Amino acid sequence: MKAVILAGGSGSRLWPLSRNQYPKQFLKLRNMDKSIFQLTLERCLKLARLAEIYIVTNINYKFLVLGQIEELGYRFDENHVLVEPSGKNTLPAVYYAIKEIQKQGDDIVVVIPSDQLIDDEEKFIRTIKQGENIAGKYLITYGIRPNKPHTGYGYIKPALPLEQGYTVDEFKEKPDYETALNYVENGYLWNSGMFMFRTDIFTEEVKRFNPEVYEAFKSSDINEIYERTPNISIDYGVMEKTERVAVIPLNIRWSDLGSFDAFYERFDRDENGNIAFNGDILIDSSNNLLYTNKDKTVALIGVEDLIVVDQKDALLLCKKDQSQKVKEVVDRLKNTNNPRVDFHLTTYRPWGSYTILEEGLFYKIKRITVLPGKKLSYQLHHHRSEHWIVVKGTAMVTVEGVESFVRSGESTFVKTGYKHRLENPGKVSLEVIEVQLGEYLEEDDIVRFDDDFGRATSNS
Amino acid sequence: MKAVILAGGSGSRLWPLSRNQYPKQFLKLRNMDKSIFQLTLERCLKLARLAEIYIVTNINYKFLVLGQIEELGYRFDENHVLVEPSGKNTLPAVYYAIKEIQKQGDDIVVVIPSDQLIDDEEKFIRTIKQGENIAGKYLITYGIRPNKPHTGYGYIKPALPLEQGYTVDEFKEKPDYETALNYVENGYLWNSGMFMFRTDIFTEEVKRFNPEVYEAFKSSDINEIYERTPNISIDYGVMEKTERVAVIPLNIRWSDLGSFDAFYERFDRDENGNIAFNGDILIDSSNNLLYTNKDKTVALIGVEDLIVVDQKDALLLCKKDQSQKVKEVVDRLKNTNNPRVDFHLTTYRPWGSYTILEEGLFYKIKRITVLPGKKLSYQLHHHRSEHWIVVKGTAMVTVEGVESFVRSGESTFVKTGYKHRLENPGKVSLEVIEVQLGEYLEEDDIVRFDDDFGRATSNS
């Protein structure tokens, strides 16, 4: 069996936790030491071998995908990371992977979004695998058994029982509350966005119901394909059209983390319905979600039904049941070119990451983490000098061609205009405090001479 | 005329804005370039000359008082800063100042709290000065003409008209809303906590109504005095007892900033009743006070009647009309020895200040500001090395007896166990980024050899 992980979403409904350049699937949530994407990958490894997994994403997330897999200790084939030139919804994304898989022959494929949380993993794997028994005849969609009349999900109505699962009576869009109540009482299931099918059957149905998509993918140029293919979901484009569809119920605790309201539902609450850290002080306050920094002292007085998401550079306060409006916040921020739509204070690069600790008029302080064996580009800045203080690990520093080691507790200095490179030759992460001084301290003051990541000709 | 400024309050009802070691009177509020104390001092300078002003405070705030006066460009007589060994409410504080003033003979004195905001300063000065006409006969209290039935203030009922102001019928404690409504309709005034009287008359009344206070102050040892004197307010101890009391109405916009509800009333609101920065995003939200950092992106969705005070290390969310419970938060934090009751991330020292920018496992980063002409103690640390990068001004650095200048853009390094001193020999503030490295990074790892501020034998 092959597995396709969809990892191209931008997660804007979870701003400011999720940012365009580092969306929710790559976040490590509170109390979790792995990201949602990493958990998804490990789950997939119980369904398919690493070499049988394909990941569809976009160019901005490619090194995040590879970096997070590397962090798990796996070596992943870069050719299995399929980079979409633009987002055209799930049908082109899935079909892109199917076409790649078909180069090695037809097979059964399971399609899994990278941004869902699943609790009972053993049951999950067992149920997903049941699909193999009917994948010779059906396109299978997995339906979650509802635990409440949720208005945020699409619904699937099962019809006649099959060897595994059911035929499908109909698909339903997100309902209002009354309708949802009716659905739940009548055995409808939540549409999970997970699928299983044979590549040949799927291709037949794409050709039949979406000839434009099918034709677009005949090109060998991926840019041309994505210019031509329409923007369409796999549900709307195939699953809701074909009569060869089956649904298998998944009776597990599941969350798509689609909004902060879903967050509130997902995490454990105290006796007053609050989700908070131990040290937080809550007076006459109930049913709140406090997603804040553990090191910060948070106090609530007389507050109810509030979602509080506090990051160093952004604070969101949102009344519960209104979290769908977070998208409106993101739209407004985009209109004012607010960089906090795209970036966290920590920016991830192929070689590691940097966090802006403080910006003054003529200085900027960053904490830089360089992954073992990685190096930054050989570069110079016209407008700033840089002081590097190594706080962990050992750095190999090159200045104007002269190499030297700078060890933990030591520091070095790069004058304005000098060519330099920072490198981690060691086996553990290198941590450096960088103090930049100058009258212009933006990222675009950089001239690259050599780069491991092909950026020597750009400013990225 | 002499003036007494009361500057010993701890402002705990304004946490986290106000902290024990740097309370509200020393804060520069949003859009203000001077602190409330500084504004009070400048206001007093329209009533009395600098040499005629006395400031009562405690030892923790002494250098804040002196530093903030110096910042205004004045040289203040240190002997006019009267340091109370402990807080015993306003009667001992005022009487302490009166006894000091009487050493030079009797005079008229105006007593002004350091933590009030006043809008119409010219009218304020004019009205305060009217007291001089009746100070030969009366102890004068100033009463604010109410603009609403406030339940957070005490009330004064004026009786018969005098040459200036009125005799007083009675003093009233903070009322409930119905009573406050009745007071306002019947011409009662808010008790402002500002007074004027002759020192000899005041002393007579203290002797008459508070013999214990009077007797305690006969000692020449201030510690002994404060051990003996009861804890009592000037209102309860004298003004409400004496028949020689008059009230002069002040018809000005006034706030004691006694709570965040008072903050909300004091600042200008937009058409939805919100107080926020321009860049803040407010969707379906009204009547909120956002007291946040201008550099932070703040978004509200569906939030009403909420007070939001966001600092880097602490976040308070408080439903309006419940801000008196902030004191409860402070009490709880005290019980857990949370340092955020006492300190901001910025700590003020006699020589300037430092701000903790980041704390890691084995490193700490501070921004240090050294005032012109000031120097830190000559010191050493057993457990940490220090890297100093000068970002503004010029530093004189002494390491093991060797002096050198470190200029803007330059850096230096102090090894663990080396004696060192940082000094600002210049005319503008010196700004240094300090990166500490070591396994123990607390403030008490310090041995002082010489100190301008008498701290060579202590760890403070």
Side-chain angles (χ1 to χ4, degrees):
Chain A
M1 181 162 49
K2 304 286 196 295
V4 173
I5 299 176
L6 302 176
S10 71
S12 62
R13 278 176 300 174
L14 291 191
W15 183 92
L17 219 53
S18 181
R19 313 275 174 113
N20 217 348
Q21 293 293 316
Y22 201 80
K24 65 169 172 173
Q25 59 269 31
F26 301 111
L27 294 174
K28 292 174 185 175
L29 298 181
R30 184 185 283 190
N31 299 328
M32 295 189 188
D33 57 356
K34 288 171 186 168
S35 75
I36 309 168
F37 167 77
Q38 287 176 323
L39 293 170
T40 304
L41 183 90
E42 292 196 331
R43 207 178 297 128
C44 280
L45 283 170
K46 295 177 179 165
L47 294 165
R49 287 181 301 115
L50 194 65
E52 292 169 332
I53 295 175
Y54 292 76
I55 298 164
V56 187
T57 188
N58 67 55
I59 189 67
N60 290 324
Y61 309 154
K62 185 182 178 185
F63 79 87
L64 288 174
V65 164
L66 289 168
Q68 292 210 337
I69 298 175
E70 195 176 326
E71 194 185 12
L72 293 175
Y74 301 114
R75 285 202 66 80
F76 195 71
D77 181 352
E78 220 176 302
N79 294 320
H80 282 210
V81 181
L82 307 175
V83 175
E84 295 186 283
S86 59
K88 289 287 183 98
N89 212 329
T90 46
L91 180 54
V94 171
Y95 195 47
Y96 185 3
I98 299 308
K99 294 284 284 187
E100 280 299 307
I101 289 166
Q102 284 184 316
K103 288 178 184 170
Q104 295 164 15
D106 284 308
D107 202 346
I108 294 177
V109 173
V110 59
V111 177
I112 295 190
S114 63
D115 56 0
Q116 303 184 344
L117 283 184
I118 279 153
D119 272 1
D120 190 346
E121 195 159 286
E122 206 177 303
K123 197 186 211 175
F124 170 82
I125 298 297
R126 210 166 53 232
T127 313
I128 293 289
K129 280 185 173 169
Q130 290 172 358
E132 290 183 278
N133 299 322
I134 58 169
K137 283 192 237 167
Y138 294 96
L139 305 178
I140 301 144
T141 177
Y142 292 89
I144 311 291
R145 188 80 68 191
N147 59 9
K148 61 172 260 189
H150 208 292
T151 58
Y153 302 130
Y155 283 73
I156 299 169
K157 186 182 182 187
L160 305 173
L162 297 169
E163 178 192 349
Q164 299 289 346
Y166 302 86
T167 61
V168 172
D169 205 4
E170 54 180 345
F171 286 80
K172 291 289 184 183
E173 298 293 311
K174 293 176 188 177
D176 60 29
Y177 184 80
E178 288 303 315
T179 312
L181 205 61
N182 183 275
Y183 287 169
V184 172
E185 281 166 2
N186 288 288
Y188 288 51
L189 305 164
W190 292 338
N191 190 344
S192 72
M194 293 184 281
F195 310 98
M196 184 186 279
F197 42 71
R198 282 191 57 90
T199 49
D200 45 357
I201 302 181
F202 185 75
T203 302
E204 282 169 24
E205 300 307 275
V206 172
K207 184 175 176 184
R208 186 166 157 217
F209 296 110
N210 293 276
E212 273 181 294
V213 176
Y214 180 81
E215 291 298 324
F217 271 87
K218 282 188 169 167
S219 167
S220 59
D221 178 349
I222 192 68
N223 293 310
E224 209 172 270
I225 292 171
Y226 270 78
E227 272 163 35
R228 289 184 191 167
T229 185
N231 185 319
I232 188 164
S233 75
I234 182 172
D235 291 284
Y236 188 74
V238 175
M239 305 309 281
E240 298 183 18
K241 298 255 161 56
T242 176
E243 62 277 15
R244 297 159 88 176
V245 61
V247 60
I248 293 180
L250 267 166
N251 200 1
I252 54 167
R253 198 177 173 202
W254 168 90
S255 174
D256 73 342
L257 298 175
S259 70
F260 285 116
D261 282 308
F263 259 62
Y264 180 76
E265 288 160 20
R266 177 59 181 65
F267 289 97
D268 294 330
R269 300 153 221 177
D270 67 19
E271 68 276 17
N272 297 312
N274 293 308
I275 298 168
F277 284 117
N278 271 335
D280 293 342
I281 292 178
L282 292 102
I283 295 173
D284 301 336
S285 297
S286 56
N287 302 319
N288 301 289
L289 165 62
L290 301 190
Y291 206 97
T292 60
N293 185 325
K294 197 168 187 167
D295 295 332
K296 190 158 173 170
T297 300
V298 177
L300 263 64
I301 299 171
V303 178
E304 283 175 13
D305 296 315
L306 195 68
I307 289 159
V308 180
V309 183
D310 185 44
Q311 309 237 297
K312 280 190 180 169
D313 59 345
L315 171 64
L316 170 74
L317 302 179
C318 176
K319 202 73 179 171
K320 282 227 306 276
D321 296 328
Q322 299 201 29
S323 68
Q324 75 283 0
K325 291 184 192 159
V326 170
K327 225 180 151 350
E328 207 177 310
V329 171
V330 169
D331 289 342
R332 287 213 212 170
L333 291 173
K334 272 183 193 159
N335 289 340
T336 57
N337 294 317
N338 190 314
R340 281 155 190 164
V341 172
D342 291 325
F343 298 102
H344 292 93
L345 285 178
T346 297
T347 300
Y348 293 82
R349 297 288 198 210
W351 44 261
S353 65
Y354 66 83
T355 303
I356 297 167
L357 301 180
E358 176 84 359
E359 288 184 89
L361 197 53
F362 298 125
Y363 69 93
K364 188 188 274 188
I365 307 174
K366 288 180 178 178
R367 182 184 54 234
I368 298 174
T369 301
V370 185
L371 298 170
K374 305 282 187 193
K375 57 187 174 204
L376 283 69
S377 63
Y378 195 43
Q379 56 187 237
L380 71 76
H381 312 292
H382 290 302
H383 302 290
R384 67 177 186 253
S385 62
E386 293 181 342
H387 296 255
W388 291 337
I389 299 149
V390 176
V391 297
K392 191 181 148 223
T394 296
M396 161 81 91
V397 173
T398 309
V399 179
E400 289 291 323
V402 180
E403 293 185 344
S404 59
F405 286 105
V406 185
R407 290 167 186 85
S408 173
E410 297 177 348
S411 61
T412 190
F413 172 55
V414 180
K415 288 187 184 170
T416 305
Y418 279 44
K419 290 183 200 172
H420 59 279
R421 162 171 263 165
L422 181 63
E423 180 176 353
N424 180 1
K427 298 289 180 197
V428 298
S429 280
L430 167 68
E431 263 190 55
V432 175
I433 302 300
E434 174 179 276
V435 182
Q436 304 178 353
L437 299 170
E439 296 189 359
Y440 182 81
L441 300 168
E442 300 303 317
E443 293 302 321
D444 61 358
D445 173 22
I446 187 165
V447 182
R448 288 204 173 88
F449 300 95
D450 176 45
D451 185 50
D452 276 6
F453 310 100
R455 302 171 304 165
T457 51
S458 81
N459 281 333
S460 67
Chain B
M1 183 163 49
K2 305 287 195 296
V4 174
I5 298 176
L6 302 177
S10 70
S12 61
R13 278 176 299 175
L14 291 191
W15 183 90
L17 219 53
S18 181
R19 313 275 174 112
N20 218 348
Q21 294 292 318
Y22 201 79
K24 66 168 172 173
Q25 58 268 32
F26 301 111
L27 295 173
K28 292 174 184 176
L29 297 181
R30 185 185 282 187
N31 298 329
M32 296 188 186
D33 58 356
K34 289 172 186 166
S35 76
I36 310 168
F37 167 77
Q38 287 176 323
L39 293 169
T40 304
L41 183 91
E42 292 196 332
R43 206 178 298 127
C44 280
L45 283 170
K46 295 178 179 164
L47 294 165
R49 288 181 301 113
L50 193 65
E52 292 169 331
I53 294 175
Y54 292 76
I55 299 164
V56 187
T57 188
N58 66 55
I59 189 67
N60 289 325
Y61 308 155
K62 185 183 177 182
F63 78 87
L64 287 173
V65 163
L66 289 168
Q68 292 211 336
I69 298 176
E70 195 176 323
E71 194 186 11
L72 293 174
Y74 301 114
R75 285 201 68 79
F76 194 71
D77 181 353
E78 219 175 301
N79 294 319
H80 281 209
V81 181
L82 307 176
V83 174
E84 296 186 284
S86 59
K88 288 288 183 98
N89 213 328
T90 45
L91 180 54
V94 172
Y95 194 47
Y96 185 3
I98 298 308
K99 293 284 284 184
E100 279 298 309
I101 289 167
Q102 284 184 315
K103 288 178 184 172
Q104 295 165 15
D106 284 309
D107 200 348
I108 294 176
V109 173
V110 59
V111 177
I112 296 189
S114 64
D115 55 1
Q116 302 185 343
L117 283 184
I118 279 152
D119 272 2
D120 191 347
E121 195 158 285
E122 206 178 302
K123 196 186 211 176
F124 170 82
I125 300 296
R126 210 165 54 231
T127 312
I128 293 290
K129 281 186 172 167
Q130 289 171 359
E132 289 183 280
N133 300 324
I134 57 169
K137 281 192 239 165
Y138 294 96
L139 304 178
I140 301 143
T141 178
Y142 291 89
I144 310 293
R145 188 79 69 193
N147 58 11
K148 61 172 259 190
H150 209 291
T151 58
Y153 301 130
Y155 283 74
I156 299 169
K157 185 183 183 189
L160 305 172
L162 297 169
E163 178 192 345
Q164 300 288 344
Y166 302 85
T167 61
V168 172
D169 204 2
E170 53 180 346
F171 286 81
K172 291 288 185 185
E173 298 291 311
K174 294 175 186 177
D176 60 29
Y177 185 78
E178 287 303 315
T179 313
L181 204 63
N182 182 276
Y183 288 168
V184 172
E185 280 167 2
N186 286 286
Y188 286 51
L189 304 165
W190 292 338
N191 189 343
S192 73
M194 293 184 281
F195 310 98
M196 183 185 281
F197 42 71
R198 282 191 57 88
T199 50
D200 45 357
I201 302 180
F202 184 75
T203 302
E204 282 168 24
E205 302 305 275
V206 172
K207 186 176 175 184
R208 188 165 155 217
F209 296 109
N210 291 277
E212 273 181 293
V213 175
Y214 180 80
E215 291 299 325
F217 270 89
K218 281 188 170 169
S219 166
S220 58
D221 178 350
I222 192 67
N223 292 310
E224 212 172 86
I225 292 172
Y226 270 77
E227 271 163 35
R228 289 184 192 167
T229 185
N231 186 317
I232 189 165
S233 76
I234 183 172
D235 292 284
Y236 188 73
V238 175
M239 306 309 282
E240 299 183 18
K241 298 256 161 55
T242 177
E243 63 276 18
R244 299 159 88 178
V245 61
V247 61
I248 293 180
L250 268 166
N251 199 1
I252 54 167
R253 195 177 174 202
W254 168 91
S255 174
D256 73 342
L257 298 176
S259 70
F260 284 117
D261 282 307
F263 259 62
Y264 180 76
E265 288 159 20
R266 177 59 182 68
F267 290 97
D268 294 330
R269 299 153 220 177
D270 67 18
E271 68 275 18
N272 297 314
N274 292 309
I275 299 168
F277 285 117
N278 270 336
D280 293 342
I281 292 178
L282 292 101
I283 295 173
D284 301 336
S285 296
S286 56
N287 302 319
N288 300 289
L289 165 62
L290 301 190
Y291 205 97
T292 59
N293 185 325
K294 197 168 187 168
D295 295 332
K296 190 157 171 170
T297 300
V298 178
L300 264 63
I301 300 171
V303 179
E304 283 176 15
D305 296 316
L306 195 68
I307 289 159
V308 180
V309 183
D310 184 45
Q311 309 237 296
K312 280 189 180 170
D313 59 345
L315 170 65
L316 172 75
L317 302 178
C318 176
K319 202 74 180 173
K320 282 228 304 276
D321 295 328
Q322 299 201 29
S323 67
Q324 74 284 0
K325 292 183 191 160
V326 170
K327 225 178 153 345
E328 207 176 311
V329 171
V330 170
D331 289 342
R332 287 213 212 171
L333 292 173
K334 272 183 193 159
N335 289 340
T336 57
N337 295 315
N338 190 314
R340 280 153 191 167
V341 172
D342 291 325
F343 298 103
H344 291 94
L345 285 179
T346 297
T347 300
Y348 293 84
R349 296 287 198 210
W351 44 259
S353 65
Y354 66 83
T355 303
I356 297 169
L357 302 179
E358 176 85 356
E359 288 183 87
L361 197 52
F362 298 123
Y363 69 94
K364 190 190 272 188
I365 307 174
K366 288 179 177 178
R367 184 183 53 233
I368 298 174
T369 303
V370 186
L371 299 169
K374 305 281 187 198
K375 58 185 173 206
L376 283 69
S377 62
Y378 194 44
Q379 57 187 232
L380 71 75
H381 312 292
H382 290 301
H383 302 290
R384 66 179 186 251
S385 62
E386 293 181 342
H387 296 255
W388 290 336
I389 298 148
V390 177
V391 298
K392 191 181 146 219
T394 296
M396 162 80 91
V397 173
T398 310
V399 178
E400 289 289 322
V402 181
E403 294 185 341
S404 59
F405 286 105
V406 185
R407 290 168 186 82
S408 172
E410 296 176 347
S411 60
T412 191
F413 172 54
V414 181
K415 287 187 186 170
T416 305
Y418 279 43
K419 291 182 198 172
H420 59 279
R421 163 171 260 164
L422 181 62
E423 180 176 354
N424 180 0
K427 299 288 181 197
V428 298
S429 279
L430 166 68
E431 263 189 55
V432 175
I433 301 299
E434 174 179 276
V435 181
Q436 303 177 354
L437 298 170
E439 296 188 359
Y440 182 80
L441 301 168
E442 299 303 317
E443 294 301 321
D444 61 357
D445 173 22
I446 188 165
V447 182
R448 288 204 173 89
F449 300 95
D450 176 44
D451 185 48
D452 277 6
F453 310 101
R455 301 172 304 164
T457 51
S458 81
N459 281 332
S460 68

